């Protein structure tokens, strides 16, 4: 108080000596008293509001993204750990409500790359068109190359004049089959460790398949040439959604936001320096978000308190800061046979969907945070990433568009935007591997995978 | 191995040549390959492995060594844009090899999980000319009397003399191309010293080549008309050892006759130091974070070994 009194005296003194200026400056003098605001440390709602406001200003004014992330996750409190690969029943509905996501079956239509030359003259558009809602003839599909014929017609064998060479489906198929055969048949391996079947065959097969396909397709997709592949990276995201009352402990009775944390370890991921293009505009409404009245712990979901991490797979300084595709491997605990034995066949798709939604939300949201957005500063452009969830034989494809990060109680009230996830059912890539032959190879799954890898911004 | 490469040379009846063989050097020197564009990519790969890959401040060697290797291999694989036949390569992790041979009445064998093997459809053409192969006849293997050549080797009772390439018949990628060894233990005593790493690389390259030779030409010891070439790269995340091994003969019992050849390029640093946290002395930053002493030549050699055989 001594300082402020002295200041007031000084101010009076100045006013005394500068009476001439007071006539010049007609502004009324500021109040003599310091501004009256709520307390900072009291246990009152006004004090809580002031503390929140102070926190928001600190994060807004943070000098760098690392500082922003550090301040965002500074306060540690018990939070729900959300596992993307979960055995919980109907987990995808719960995860959609936690992340405000709309699920659209089928994949979005995209610009067609050059035609695929397959021995059986497979029409490529039919294979890559959405399998679900809009089965319209893809006449509206944007084709950048002038040489491609009208959609629906089988591609003739003459190559487009001067355009990108044809995708040789036969060669890609042989690459995939070779990878599969090497891992499952030709290489002499010991018996798999107990309950570690995934590390024995499907894991190495997936790594091999993706690396060889990415290398052979990098000529067609310059984004892949500048990409960075991570093996078993970590992806983390921390967010608040909804409110609850603290049940027990010294903070009993206070209203707290519900905190969630996803710690994901995909098998493989591809990160690129440029962002994938948005599929639909930022404010589109393609469906409803499920509303669940129960507490998240009923899913079951458990709380723990530890470091609040936001991580896309590498630090902020990495130039490849946008995500392209993630590949997830279903662990042995959650394989199909166990579900079938427990009479839960319908939950198999739920597992794939929940994995896709949760992992992709965490990845896209962490990418958005790396660009400086957070729930008070919502995203100004949509963030798009893709994922493939597989158990070695069955593949399910997902595409996620993040439109909003504002999921806290205050910011969600006037926010009409929803995140969107497109996804397919799981389809087998092959039937069985016998005697050095792959039987029943499914070209559609391979074409879909190739299209995923070829996805790029329109400028490239 | 106690004596390192010298002991391995005696055990495998090999003559050592310093530096890399002329065909590989010609790939490095040829102007077709745009190494300059790749330099940026290599720097990014090193930064990714040493700085950015983890939520902690600095990743440990057991993380950054494989990550660096994967990134460099990814960069090499992207060259298959220009050379489509590069796509005919397959990596095999966790594969097992077994090879047995006799050396002056001592039965030796090489077995087990070694490193990561890259197989290709087509074999690497022989690197040394016929004259050089014949010239090895006069070369005498150096012995280190009184130390027995089998010192430090584990004596094991073997009931089956096994020769196995690690893959079944009919495998399309039949020829071993390059072996990669990653010394990624965190603790220095657990890692191989460079000399021992080179010896290990030599032994396993020889084992792979011998197993392949026995599959192709049978078990009788003889001089091969079509020598088999296997390359090998060993690293601990910073230091690289390059090796090209050529198997000229499977007649290993006697000490005379044609010998095998190996070209070794030892101890190539990819970078001198990778500073994760800035070094601060008396509140002044003396060394900011970054990569110091980057040498693109090491990556050029890595890429040349990768491209060897298809270019």
């Amino acid at each position: 108080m001594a300082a402020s009194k002295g200041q007031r005296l000084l101010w009076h003194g100045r006013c005394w000596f500068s009476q001439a200026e007071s006539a010049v400056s007609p502004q009324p003098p500021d109040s003599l008293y310091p501004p009256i605001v709520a307390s900072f440390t009291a246990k009152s709602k006004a004090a809580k509001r002031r503390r929140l406001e102070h926190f928001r200003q600190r994060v807004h004014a943070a000098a760098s993204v690392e500082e922003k992330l550090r301040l965002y996750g500074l306060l540690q409190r018990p939070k729900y750990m959300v596992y993307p690969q979960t055995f919980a029943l109907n987990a995808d509905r719960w995860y959609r409500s936690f992340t405000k996501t709309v699920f659209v079956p089928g994949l979005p239509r995209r610009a067609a790359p050059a035609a695929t030359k397959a021995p059986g003259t497979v029409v490529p558009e039919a294979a890559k068109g959405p399998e679900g809602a809009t089965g319209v003839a893809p006449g509206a599909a944007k084709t950048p190359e002038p040489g491609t014929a009208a959609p629906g017609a089988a591609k003739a064998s003459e190559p487009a004049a001067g355009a990108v060479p044809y995708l040789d489906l036969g060669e890609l198929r042989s690459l995939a089959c070779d990878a599969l055969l090497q891992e499952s048949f030709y290489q002499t391996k010991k018996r798999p460790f107990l309950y570690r079947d995934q590390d024995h065959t499907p894991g190495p097969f997936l790594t091999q398949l993706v690396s060889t396909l990415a290398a052979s397709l990098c000529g067609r997709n310059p984004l892949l040439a500048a990409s960075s592949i991570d093996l078993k990276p970590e992806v983390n995201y921390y967010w608040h959604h909804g409110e609850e009352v603290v049940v027990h402990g010294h903070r009993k009775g206070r209203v707290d936001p519900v905190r969630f944390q996803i710690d994901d370890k995909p098998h493989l991921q591809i990160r690129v320096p440029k962002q994938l293009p948005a599929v639909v505009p930022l404010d589109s409404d393609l469906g409803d978000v499920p509303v669940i009245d129960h507490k998240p712990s009923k899913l079951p979901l458990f709380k723990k308190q530890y470091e609040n991490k936001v991580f896309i797979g590498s630090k902020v300084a990495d130039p490849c800061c946008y995500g392209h595709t993630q590949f997830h491997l279903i662990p042995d605990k959650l394989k199909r046979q166990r579900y079938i034995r427990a009479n839960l066949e319908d939950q198999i798709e739920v597992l794939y969907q929940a994995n896709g939604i949760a992992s992709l939300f965490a990845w896209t949201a962490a990418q958005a945070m790396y660009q400086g957005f957070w729930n008070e500063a919502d995203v100004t452009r949509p963030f798009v990433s893709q994922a493939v969830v597989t158990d070695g034989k069955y593949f399910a494809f997902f595409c996620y568009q993040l439109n909003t990060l504002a999921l806290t109680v205050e910011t969600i009230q006037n926010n009409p935007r929803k995140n969107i996830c497109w996804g397919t059912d799981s389809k087998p890539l092959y039937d069985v591997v016998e005697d050095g032959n792959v039987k029943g190879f499914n070209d559609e799954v391979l074409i879909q995978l190739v299209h995923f890898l070829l996805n790029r911004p329109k400028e490239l | 191995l106690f004596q390192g490469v010298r002991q391995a040379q005696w055990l495998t009846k090999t003559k050592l040549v310093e530096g890399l063989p002329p065909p590989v050097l010609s790939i490095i020197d040829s102007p077709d390959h745009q190494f300059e564009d790749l330099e940026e990519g290599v720097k990014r790969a090193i930064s990714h492995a040493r700085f950015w890959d983890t939520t902690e401040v600095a990743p440990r060697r057991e993380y950054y060594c494989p990550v660096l290797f994967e990134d460099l291999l990814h960069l090499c694989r992207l060259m298959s844009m220009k050379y489509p036949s590069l796509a005919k390569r397959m990596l095999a992790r966790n594969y097992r090899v077994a090879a047995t041979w006799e050396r002056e009445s001592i039965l030796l064998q090489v077995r087990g999980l070694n490193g990561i093997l890259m197989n290709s459809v087509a074999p690497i053409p022989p690197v040394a000319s016929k004259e050089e192969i014949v010239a090895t006849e006069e070369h005498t293997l150096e012995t280190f009397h009184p130390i027995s050549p089998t010192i430090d080797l584990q004596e094991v009772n073997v009931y089956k003399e096994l020769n196995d390439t690690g893959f079944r018949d009919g495998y399309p990628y039949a020829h071993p191309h390059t072996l990669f060894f990653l010394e990624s233990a965190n603790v220095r005593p657990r890692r191989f010293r460079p000399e021992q790493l080179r010896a290990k690389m030599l032994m396993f390259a020889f084992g792979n080549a011998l197993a392949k030779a026995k599959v192709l030409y049978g078990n009788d010891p003889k001089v091969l008309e079509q020598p088999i070439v296997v390359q090998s790269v060993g690293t601990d995340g910073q230091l690289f050892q390059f090796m090209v091994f050529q198997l000229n003969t499977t007649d290993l019992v006697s000490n005379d006759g044609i010998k095998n050849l190996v070209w070794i390029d030892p101890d190539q640093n990819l970078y001198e130091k990778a500073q994760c946290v800035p070094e601060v002395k008396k509140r002044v930053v003396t060394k900011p974070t970054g990569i110091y002493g980057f040498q693109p030549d090491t990556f050029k050699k890595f890429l040349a070994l990768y491209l060897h055989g298809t270019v």
Side-chain angles (χ1 to χ4, degrees):
Chain A
M1 282 306 117
S4 50
K5 263 205 202 134
Q7 218 175 8
R8 238 180 289 154
L9 272 176
L10 198 59
W11 196 83
H12 265 300
R14 249 190 277 144
C15 197
W16 180 283
F17 285 121
S18 59
Q19 283 222 331
E21 276 98 309
S22 64
V24 175
S25 53
Q27 287 163 339
D30 288 336
S31 159
L32 300 178
Y33 301 94
I36 300 175
V37 285
S39 156
F40 201 73
T41 49
K43 190 183 171 186
S44 66
K45 294 204 177 72
K48 177 92 195 222
R49 276 201 301 271
R50 188 172 166 215
R51 282 195 293 270
L52 272 177
E53 194 51 48
H54 180 79
F55 167 72
R56 280 180 208 139
Q57 273 171 7
R58 269 179 84 191
V59 180
H60 276 301
S64 65
V65 175
E66 286 103 339
E67 182 62 21
K68 222 178 238 196
L69 290 176
R70 190 189 72 88
L71 288 173
Y72 178 73
L74 196 57
L75 181 62
Q76 278 189 23
R77 282 275 148 78
K79 57 193 174 180
Y80 287 111
M81 296 178 294
V82 176
Y83 292 100
Q85 292 174 333
T86 171
F87 48 77
L89 300 180
N90 293 325
D92 65 329
R93 280 197 73 229
W94 290 80
Y95 287 1
R96 269 186 278 151
S97 83
F98 295 152
T99 61
K100 203 176 175 193
T101 310
V102 171
F103 185 76
V104 179
L107 285 176
R109 234 178 311 153
R110 266 201 216 108
T116 55
K117 181 172 70 175
T121 49
V122 170
V123 178
E125 271 89 350
K128 78 160 156 48
E131 285 89 57
T134 47
V136 182
K142 306 171 267 300
T143 52
E145 287 87 16
T148 46
K155 293 292 172 282
S157 48
E158 328 63 271
V164 186
Y166 279 106
L167 258 178
D168 196 355
L169 191 63
E171 196 187 307
L172 296 172
R173 191 190 303 134
S174 69
L175 274 179
C177 287
D178 283 336
L180 186 57
L181 285 172
Q182 178 192 316
E183 291 307 327
S184 44
F185 183 68
Y186 282 122
Q187 188 170 332
T188 46
K189 293 184 188 182
K190 291 217 154 133
R191 282 175 51 187
F193 198 75
L194 187 60
Y195 300 134
R196 292 277 172 91
D197 277 325
Q198 295 307 102
D199 295 334
H200 188 252
T201 313
F205 160 58
L206 195 59
T207 321
Q208 196 71 270
L209 179 71
V210 174
S211 26
T212 40
L213 278 184
S216 52
L217 291 173
C218 63
R220 315 245 1 247
N221 187 356
L223 199 62
L224 279 182
S227 66
S228 174
I229 294 195
D230 302 327
L231 295 183
K232 298 208 174 47
E234 250 190 77
V235 172
N236 306 314
Y237 186 60
Y238 168 75
W239 79 104
H240 297 178
H241 177 68
E243 255 184 350
E244 63 173 2
V245 177
V246 180
V247 167
H248 58 266
H250 67 281
R251 301 183 73 236
K252 179 174 173 176
R254 294 178 215 202
V255 173
D256 247 4
V258 182
R259 301 169 205 95
F260 298 92
Q261 166 95 36
I262 292 186
D263 294 316
D264 190 19
K265 266 199 130 159
H267 184 75
L268 190 76
Q269 82 182 10
I270 303 179
R271 278 176 301 110
V272 287
K274 294 211 177 60
Q275 204 175 346
L276 288 178
V279 183
V280 289
L282 197 58
D283 289 318
S284 353
D285 189 354
L286 294 180
D288 289 320
V289 178
V291 171
I292 299 189
D293 292 326
H294 303 284
K295 276 176 74 164
S297 56
K298 303 280 182 210
L299 174 58
L301 224 51
F302 299 98
K303 278 197 173 182
K304 201 161 97 157
Q305 176 175 324
Y306 57 104
E307 195 192 335
N308 301 329
K309 286 203 265 199
V310 176
F311 193 61
I312 63 168
S314 70
K315 292 190 185 155
V316 184
D318 198 335
C320 292
C321 51
Y322 295 105
H324 190 266
T325 317
Q326 265 183 346
F327 291 85
H328 294 268
L329 204 55
I330 305 267
D332 211 55
K333 257 208 308 198
L334 302 169
K335 56 186 184 191
R336 287 182 108 89
Q337 288 159 330
R338 288 193 192 217
Y339 277 92
I340 296 173
R341 244 186 288 155
N343 290 329
L344 289 169
E345 279 96 358
D346 47 338
Q347 296 293 322
I348 299 179
E349 296 306 322
V350 163
L351 165 69
Y352 285 86
Q353 279 176 24
N355 195 357
I357 292 174
S359 305
L360 282 174
F361 170 74
W363 205 24
T364 46
Q367 288 167 42
M369 288 210 80
Y370 270 35
Q371 301 305 312
F373 301 109
W374 58 300
N375 49 28
E376 300 291 329
D378 211 355
V379 295
T380 49
R381 56 185 195 271
F383 282 76
V384 174
S385 291
Q386 306 168 131
V388 177
V389 183
T390 171
D391 70 343
K393 189 170 159 190
Y394 288 85
F395 283 70
F397 299 91
F398 296 92
C399 177
Y400 196 92
Q401 172 162 330
L402 184 87
N403 292 325
T404 173
L405 275 181
L407 301 170
T408 57
V409 173
E410 300 96 26
T411 48
I412 208 175
Q413 274 161 8
N414 297 328
N415 188 11
R417 299 194 210 159
K418 300 174 194 163
N419 304 318
I420 310 170
C421 180
W422 290 267
T424 64
D425 288 341
S426 54
K427 292 199 200 65
L429 180 66
Y430 58 92
D431 277 336
V432 72
V433 175
E434 250 175 37
D435 286 342
N437 288 323
V438 177
K439 297 219 163 74
F441 194 85
N442 189 355
D443 277 342
E444 281 181 20
V445 176
L446 184 65
I447 292 176
Q448 188 57 257
L449 189 59
V450 167
H451 280 178
F452 259 30
L453 287 174
L454 286 178
N455 196 9
R456 58 188 180 275
K458 298 212 179 36
E459 307 84 56
L460 289 181
Chain B
L1 287 185
F2 174 58
Q3 284 289 332
V5 180
R6 285 166 56 199
Q7 188 178 4
Q9 274 180 270
W10 190 92
L11 290 173
T12 58
K13 199 171 164 189
T14 313
K15 175 178 166 198
L16 172 68
V17 180
E18 293 288 335
L20 288 173
V24 179
L25 290 172
S26 69
I27 302 180
I28 301 178
D29 293 329
S30 90
D32 302 335
H33 315 113
Q34 297 132 350
F35 292 114
E36 292 71 27
D37 302 341
L38 292 178
E39 242 177 79
E40 194 48 53
V42 177
K43 281 202 186 138
R44 239 185 323 132
I46 304 175
S47 307
H48 174 237
R50 288 304 299 263
F51 303 144
W52 301 326
D53 192 44
T54 171
T55 44
E56 303 151 16
V57 175
R60 292 174 289 173
R61 197 184 289 262
E62 61 192 356
Y63 296 125
Y64 78 66
C65 187
V67 170
L68 180 63
F69 167 68
E70 292 296 331
D71 280 342
L72 292 179
L73 207 59
H74 181 56
L75 279 172
C76 292
R77 255 190 243 120
L78 294 178
M79 294 290 282
S80 64
M81 254 195 290
K82 296 202 329 201
Y83 306 104
S85 51
L86 270 186
K88 298 268 168 226
R89 301 266 183 96
M90 270 301 168
L91 267 184
R93 298 156 204 264
N94 298 332
Y95 85 106
R96 295 160 176 276
V97 78
T100 333
W101 72 100
E102 252 203 56
R103 190 85 183 80
E104 279 201 358
S105 76
I106 313 169
L107 190 62
L108 301 161
Q109 66 167 2
V110 160
R111 272 210 207 187
L113 298 168
N114 32 6
I116 304 177
L117 176 66
M118 187 161 66
N119 291 309
S120 65
V121 177
I124 311 179
V127 170
S129 57
K130 291 268 185 241
E131 298 80 27
E132 284 182 20
I133 300 176
V134 171
T136 58
E137 273 207 64
E138 290 89 39
H139 172 81
T140 42
L141 292 172
E142 69 179 293
T143 51
F144 14 87
H145 192 76
I147 306 177
S148 152
T150 53
I151 194 173
D152 268 356
L153 294 179
Q154 191 186 15
E155 223 182 275
V156 164
N157 282 327
V158 183
Y159 302 105
K160 239 184 350 181
E161 290 180 18
L162 194 59
N163 278 299
D164 182 20
T165 52
F167 298 92
R168 288 205 219 185
D169 300 327
Y171 182 46
Y173 298 85
H175 299 269
H177 188 271
T178 316
L179 266 174
F180 298 100
F181 292 92
L182 304 178
E183 293 296 315
S184 52
N186 270 332
V187 186
R188 195 194 283 243
R190 285 261 163 113
R191 292 199 295 269
F192 274 74
R193 308 271 88 236
E195 182 68 21
Q196 272 82 36
L197 178 59
R198 286 197 287 273
K200 177 165 102 157
M201 282 159 63
L202 180 52
M203 295 304 291
F204 278 109
F206 172 77
N208 272 296
L210 188 66
K212 187 76 207 152
K214 297 216 166 154
V215 163
L216 283 179
Y217 301 115
N219 270 333
D220 308 322
K222 60 168 173 253
V223 176
L224 306 174
E225 289 119 33
Q226 214 27 28
I228 299 182
V229 179
V230 174
Q231 299 172 143
S232 183
V233 177
T235 175
D236 65 350
Q238 188 168 340
L239 220 55
F240 281 76
Q241 328 275 346
F242 300 108
M243 175 187 296
V244 181
F245 177 79
Q246 174 167 324
L247 186 76
N248 297 322
T249 169
T250 52
D251 176 16
L252 300 159
V253 182
S254 61
N255 255 333
D256 328 310
I258 300 212
K259 319 267 186 310
N260 305 314
L261 282 164
V262 69
W263 290 260
I264 298 193
D265 202 2
D267 292 334
Q268 305 289 316
N269 245 331
L270 186 56
Y271 53 92
E272 289 299 329
K273 190 160 169 58
Q275 194 81 18
C276 297
V277 186
E279 200 178 296
V280 179
K281 287 238 159 80
K282 298 197 187 167
R283 308 237 186 122
V284 170
V285 176
T286 43
K287 252 187 170 182
T289 53
I291 310 274
Y292 292 94
F294 174 61
Q295 280 174 24
D297 291 332
T298 316
F299 180 68
K300 287 189 195 171
K301 293 182 187 165
F302 187 90
L303 184 56
L305 282 184
Y306 185 86
L307 294 173
H308 186 208
T310 44
V311 169

